[in-house]
Amino acid sequence: MRILDFSLSPQEAADPGLWQQVLRRAAQTAETPCARILRESIDARSRQGVRILRTVAVFAPDEQDPAAGQEPFRYQDVHAGRPVVVVGSGPAGLFASLRLIEHGLRPVILERGKEVGERKKDIATLSRGLGLNAESNYCFGWGGAGTFSDGKLFTRSSKRGDTGRILARFHFHGADEKILYQAHPHIGSDKLPDIVRHMYATITGCGGEVIFGAKVTDLRIADGKIQGVFTEKTGWITTDTVVWATGHSAHDTYDMLHRKGLALACKPFAMGVRVEHPQDLIDEIQYHRDPGMAWLPAATYALTAQAGGRGVYSFCMCPGGFMVAAASSPEGQVVNGMSSSRRHTPYANAGIITEVREEDLKDFAAEGPLAGLRYQQAVEHLAMLNGGGGQTAPAARLTDFVAGRLSGSLPENSYMPGLIPSPLHFWLPEEVSVRLREGFREFDRKMHGFLTREAVVVGVESRSSSPVRILREADSLQHVQVSGLYPCGEGAGYAGGITSSAMDGVNVADRIAAI
Ligand SMILES: Cc1cc2nc3c(=O)[nH]c(=O)nc-3n(C[C@H](O)[C@H](O)[C@H](O)COP(=O)(O)OP(=O)(O)OC[C@H]3O[C@@H](n4cnc5c(N)ncnc54)[C@H](O)[C@@H]3O)c2cc1C
């Protein structure tokens, strides 16, 4: 086997016939050699124009790929295994459950929302502007916020575990194998629902249990140990081990934990807006009108700036995507973004956010560890009022937002429930609004053409990270006061995004199995 590096034109990378020619030339054989791509990235800064960098394992004619035919995971029969209650079926709860099964333990998943098909109907109703179901939406239901997410799987937190194994589990459950080698793997919101359905089949097929419409509203704790969880649907369930993977949108659940006196802490989080540009404009800026543009995927960007001593940065950029109403309560307005696997809409959106720290939370200091949560709720409520009271969202042309003006009209956009012109610069918290506006000016210096009246900013992008941490011990991963209770994933404040939440789930399952 030889490892070869290729620098390809966009057309050579995209056209299977041309790629096979390149491989035959490199291997100096008449037959196309057996090859496996190990890594692929786009280099848009090369002097030769845009290049696709591909690292490939090329096998000799008599050689077999050692990875071919291997069974990567052993999901065993756990009907008789020790039960572990998992609260929440987002990436953290799902990957914890899959890993528990590998260890021979039996997950019992309590999920407040619905299965994927029913959830789809509620999301369609929401997108048509016909109302939000507070228990079934972009945040709640099978697969959690991950199911109808964009499905970008890139993470910087690879030190916490083997991200390759997370990607392999997605691939095992139906994701395209490209995610195994692309520098910025992406599944797409059209593919994720089937993948999480396959995970459901693995879990229940092995003997795990899933109960929908089961919101945990109380915990029984005695002598510093978890004893049981309560849902209206099931009554009390007795257990000594609970994975608490409820995500950061379950505000009522944080309230319940706080009422019960569990140790929580306020943590820095981020707040901002979503900005949407025409995708053609982003392609032109990023690919410099490269002749191979037609062969390239919709372009992305990642921008950072310093404003008032804090970072302003782009987050969750969705090329060829659309904006969605991602609130989980009718009291608030939240916007997020996603794209299908083909990333083919004419729009490019991204969250543009800035950090909110404890010193910004003075008005909410009396709320203790929930101060950040109350700040977040207050801004989401303001966005809802300024957006017309439902899921229509407040918006401004980017140039008007930066100049501090109300927009007289808005550009064409992808947000289905509809946008309403609103002076976001005025009602967003000053520390957020001022920094974002300065950040946008800096972005335009870095990416000329970014600041355009054809772009729209939409409020508010408030759920990029958790404002609360559920305190746990660093080694055992159990709650600092309650043994057997394992706060896990984004809502616990120890992860952000699909991959790191999934990895946290795996780590928690490993700790549970080790006891
Ligand atoms: C539109 C959108 C696009 C996104 N795009 C990306 C992306 O491209 N890449 C990325 O990395 N991240 C993305 N995210 C964020 C990502 O989805 C989250 O970071 C991730 O889902 C967090 O995983 P989690 O398991 O910790 O929590 P969640 O996914 O929030 O899951 C929590 C689960 O717990 C359930 N639950 C809550 N309270 C209770 C209770 N009391 N009882 C029972 N069940 C309960 C909820 O119904 C939910 O199913 C996106 C999010 C959205 C909304």
Side-chain angles (χ1 to χ4, degrees):
M1 180 187 76
R2 285 186 298 159
I3 306 287
L4 299 179
D5 288 316
F6 296 91
S7 168
L8 305 166
S9 71
Q11 191 172 357
E12 283 170 329
D15 181 328
L18 286 181
W19 168 233
Q20 286 180 12
Q21 274 180 28
V22 172
L23 274 176
R24 286 197 292 271
R25 247 193 338 262
Q28 298 178 328
T29 53
E31 293 279 301
T32 305
C34 169
R36 178 157 49 91
I37 304 176
L38 302 175
R39 191 162 173 77
E40 183 179 276
S41 59
I42 298 177
D43 179 5
R45 292 185 207 159
S46 161
R47 288 217 182 107
Q48 301 161 272
V50 179
R51 307 297 292 174
I52 310 298
L53 308 180
R54 215 174 248 183
T55 303
V56 182
V58 179
F59 300 93
D62 55 349
E63 229 181 345
Q64 279 253 321
D65 180 348
Q70 272 180 15
E71 190 61 52
F73 301 103
R74 213 180 131 251
Y75 294 118
Q76 46 188 310
D77 187 329
V78 294
H79 282 89
R82 171 161 74 93
V84 173
V85 169
V86 178
V87 186
S89 68
L94 272 184
F95 278 70
S97 300
L98 291 170
R99 186 69 177 152
L100 287 169
I101 289 173
E102 287 182 68
H103 285 299
L105 303 173
R106 189 169 84 87
V108 178
I109 304 180
L110 304 176
E111 168 54 56
R112 70 193 288 168
K114 302 182 185 174
E115 57 87 21
V116 174
E118 286 301 309
R119 204 176 157 194
K120 262 188 181 170
K121 291 182 199 159
D122 292 323
I123 284 179
T125 304
L126 171 66
S127 302
R128 287 199 297 271
L130 299 176
L132 171 84
N133 181 334
E135 297 299 328
S136 178
N137 45 56
Y138 278 104
C139 303
F140 297 159
W142 184 248
T147 302
F148 298 98
S149 73
D150 187 36
K152 285 182 289 298
L153 301 179
F154 175 68
T155 178
R156 289 197 177 81
S157 59
S158 44
K159 280 188 200 141
R160 293 193 210 159
D162 186 351
T163 48
R165 295 287 286 169
I166 300 295
L167 299 177
R169 282 185 184 87
F170 274 114
H171 175 49
F172 183 86
H173 288 97
D176 194 294
E177 76 167 347
K178 284 183 183 163
I179 67 163
L180 301 178
Y181 58 75
Q182 286 181 331
H184 290 96
H186 170 246
I187 294 182
S189 38
D190 52 332
K191 305 276 184 198
L192 278 159
D194 275 344
I195 292 170
V196 298
R197 273 189 181 122
H198 290 147
M199 290 180 178
Y200 176 90
T202 298
I203 291 168
T204 53
C206 290
E209 196 179 338
V210 179
I211 307 176
F212 289 110
K215 175 161 84 173
V216 175
T217 52
D218 204 356
L219 303 177
R220 186 178 289 145
I221 299 163
D223 304 328
K225 290 185 191 136
I226 190 82
Q227 310 266 312
V229 296
F230 179 84
T231 83
E232 223 168 73
K233 183 161 184 180
T234 60
W236 281 102
I237 298 176
T238 303
T239 175
D240 60 3
T241 315
V242 175
V243 178
W244 194 261
T246 49
H248 69 158
S249 292
H251 293 178
D252 50 357
T253 302
Y254 285 129
D255 282 329
M256 183 269 282
L257 296 178
H258 188 47
R259 270 197 313 276
K260 293 203 71 78
L262 266 80
L264 309 174
C266 195
K267 72 179 258 303
F269 60 105
M271 173 75 70
V273 292
R274 200 150 267 264
V275 64
E276 183 174 86
H277 288 79
Q279 181 65 49
D280 284 350
L281 177 78
I282 300 298
D283 288 348
E284 276 183 23
I285 301 175
Q286 296 298 78
Y287 292 148
H288 323 291
R289 298 171 195 259
D290 189 275
M293 247 168 73
W295 299 94
L296 288 165
T300 66
Y301 60 80
L303 290 164
T304 57
Q306 278 296 314
R310 302 239 188 117
V312 175
Y313 50 97
S314 61
F315 169 84
C316 184
M317 201 264 153
C318 302
F322 43 96
M323 299 183 286
V324 297
S328 48
S329 138
E331 294 301 306
Q333 165 67 50
V334 179
V335 69
N336 210 313
M338 57 163 60
S339 59
S340 74
S341 51
R342 288 193 295 142
R343 289 181 156 167
H344 63 306
T345 77
Y347 303 107
N349 71 69
I352 306 294
I353 51 182
T354 185
E355 203 184 344
V356 177
R357 294 189 191 151
E358 215 164 329
E359 64 246 41
D360 303 320
L361 306 176
K362 290 188 192 87
D363 290 350
F364 302 91
E367 300 285 342
L370 299 187
L373 183 70
R374 298 291 179 248
Y375 177 103
Q376 187 190 48
Q377 287 171 325
V379 178
E380 290 175 3
H381 189 63
L382 260 180
M384 191 265 287
L385 295 177
N386 282 285
Q391 289 309 315
T392 43
R397 286 186 188 265
L398 175 56
T399 40
D400 291 333
F401 177 69
V402 170
R405 288 188 300 254
L406 176 66
S407 296
S409 66
L410 296 172
E412 299 243 326
N413 61 79
S414 67
Y415 187 76
M416 279 182 63
L419 299 179
I420 289 186
S422 169
L424 284 95
H425 63 276
F426 175 71
W427 58 258
L428 275 171
E430 198 182 338
E431 61 276 5
V432 172
S433 165
V434 168
R435 286 192 191 108
L436 290 183
R437 291 160 68 197
E438 205 178 317
F440 277 123
R441 286 189 203 101
E442 180 62 24
F443 288 175
D444 193 58
R445 285 191 278 274
K446 293 184 171 177
M447 201 176 140
H448 194 59
F450 188 88
L451 190 49
T452 163
R453 76 185 297 277
E454 295 318 311
V456 63
V457 293
V458 183
V460 283
E461 176 86 25
S462 52
R463 303 269 179 99
S464 62
S465 51
S466 173
V468 182
R469 180 164 284 141
I470 308 175
L471 296 175
R472 71 183 187 191
E473 287 167 354
D475 291 334
S476 75
L477 305 187
Q478 296 178 64
H479 188 265
V480 290
Q481 298 159 316
V482 186
S483 72
L485 178 64
Y486 293 80
C488 179
E490 191 164 48
Y494 295 98
I498 297 169
T499 308
S500 67
S501 300
M503 207 142 62
D504 203 43
V506 168
N507 290 340
V508 159
D510 286 345
R511 294 301 195 287
I512 292 172
I515 287 179

